[in-house]
Amino acid sequence: MSEYILPHVDGYLKLGQDYDCSDIHLAVNSRPTWRRFGQLLPIWEEAPNLTPQDTEVLAGASGRPGMEPPSATGGRGLRLRQ
C-alpha cells in the first residue's frame, strides 16, 4: 500500500470528521476522495488510485455490519457517509 492509502477505514472517517466532510468515497481505480463543502475532491492529489485489493482490505477492516466488499458490489468500492 502507498503512504496515501490508509490501512483502515476509520482513518478515512477520522480525516472526514477533522475536515468537515459529508462523505468519503473509496472506489476502485480512483484516488481516495471526499465531499467537502459540496465539492467532490481527492483527499491527496498525489495519491495513487485504489486497487481492487486495497478496497477489499478496507472493506474487511471496517467491521461494519452490512458493508459489502467491492467484489460483492460489482467492484465499485466503498462509499462512507458520516
Side-chain angles (χ1 to χ4, degrees):
M1 276 191 179
S2 160
E3 64 184 286
Y4 296 103
I5 309 298
L6 303 180
H8 199 278
V9 170
D10 288 346
Y12 291 100
L13 294 175
K14 174 87 170 94
L15 275 173
Q17 285 179 327
D18 291 348
Y19 288 90
D20 297 319
C21 298
S22 61
D23 43 299
I24 302 287
H25 298 258
L26 304 172
V28 175
N29 296 323
S30 296
R31 291 177 284 184
T33 304
W34 56 19
R35 185 176 311 278
R36 188 166 184 242
F37 306 119
Q39 291 188 314
L40 197 59
L41 302 166
I43 298 173
W44 303 282
E45 290 293 333
E46 310 82 23
N49 289 349
L50 292 166
T51 66
Q53 294 79 16
D54 293 332
T55 57
E56 288 283 343
V57 167
L58 290 168
S62 73
R64 288 173 170 72
M67 183 176 288
E68 295 180 350
S71 60
T73 60
R76 292 184 304 268
L78 308 172
R79 181 170 179 222
L80 309 171
R81 297 193 83 149
Q82 296 197 32

